[in-house]
């Protein structure tokens, strides 16, 4: 019953939209909301690219698994700033953050391709 109320709030007019189809309240049998960590924990897939990126001479950051998980859910830019402040006692430049994230994403994609994720 609570799910139906939520769907009604999202889709006014007593209709729930499912792709190109519309369902009346009577036809809705359930709903699944996937928030990462609820049905699938992808954090272990994202961690390896962080220390690998940080350890590059250009960045010089040491990122442990505990550090990574402690900041779970934070925006990526905020995570980079946190590591930089904690280890270098100053804010990272916007350019540093952007370059770090570009490299982290590149490495992550490379790992995904090699592991088939």
């Amino acid at each position: 019953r609570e799910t139906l109320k939520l769907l009604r709030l999202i889709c006014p007019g007593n209709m729930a939209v499912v792709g190109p189809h519309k369902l009346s309240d009577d036809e809705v049998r359930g709903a699944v909301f996937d928030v990462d960590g609820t049905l699938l924990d992808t954090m272990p897939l994202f961690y390896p690219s962080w220390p690998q990126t940080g350890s590059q001479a250009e960045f010089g950051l040491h990122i442990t698994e505990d550090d990574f998980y402690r900041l779970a859910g934070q925006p990526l830019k905020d995570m980079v700033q946190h590591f930089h402040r904690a280890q270098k006692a100053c804010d990272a430049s916007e350019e540093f953050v952007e370059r770090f994230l570009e490299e982290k994403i590149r490495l992550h994609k490379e790992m995904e391709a090699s592991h088939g994720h």
Side-chain angles (χ1 to χ4, degrees):
R1 216 67 196 139
E2 291 303 313
T3 300
L4 295 178
K5 287 178 188 174
L6 178 60
L7 287 172
R8 248 184 257 127
L9 288 173
I10 295 170
C11 305
N14 294 326
M15 296 297 279
V17 178
V18 181
H21 307 286
K22 291 184 179 182
L23 303 173
S24 68
D25 283 355
D26 304 6
E27 296 171 297
V28 176
R29 299 199 188 267
V32 175
F33 298 93
D34 181 21
V35 178
D36 192 23
T38 303
L39 299 180
L40 181 66
D41 182 10
T42 59
M43 291 294 284
L45 300 175
F46 287 96
Y47 168 69
S49 60
W50 281 90
Q52 197 171 2
T53 303
S55 67
Q56 294 179 19
E58 176 182 359
F59 305 114
L61 297 174
H62 178 73
I63 301 170
T64 67
E65 195 167 359
D66 285 342
D67 293 335
F68 172 75
Y69 278 99
R70 195 172 296 115
L71 296 175
Q74 298 294 315
L76 300 181
K77 288 181 178 186
D78 292 353
M79 291 175 70
V80 176
Q81 278 293 358
H82 172 85
F83 296 133
H84 194 278
R85 280 187 205 113
Q87 296 176 38
K88 299 183 183 278
C90 64
D91 287 343
S93 68
E94 196 171 307
E95 184 178 280
F96 179 96
V97 173
E98 291 300 321
R99 178 70 189 113
F100 184 99
L101 291 175
E102 285 171 7
E103 180 63 8
K104 187 221 107 31
I105 290 166
R106 185 191 71 74
L107 288 171
H108 179 77
K109 288 180 178 179
E110 191 177 276
M111 285 186 253
E112 274 186 330
S114 70
H115 292 101
H117 297 156

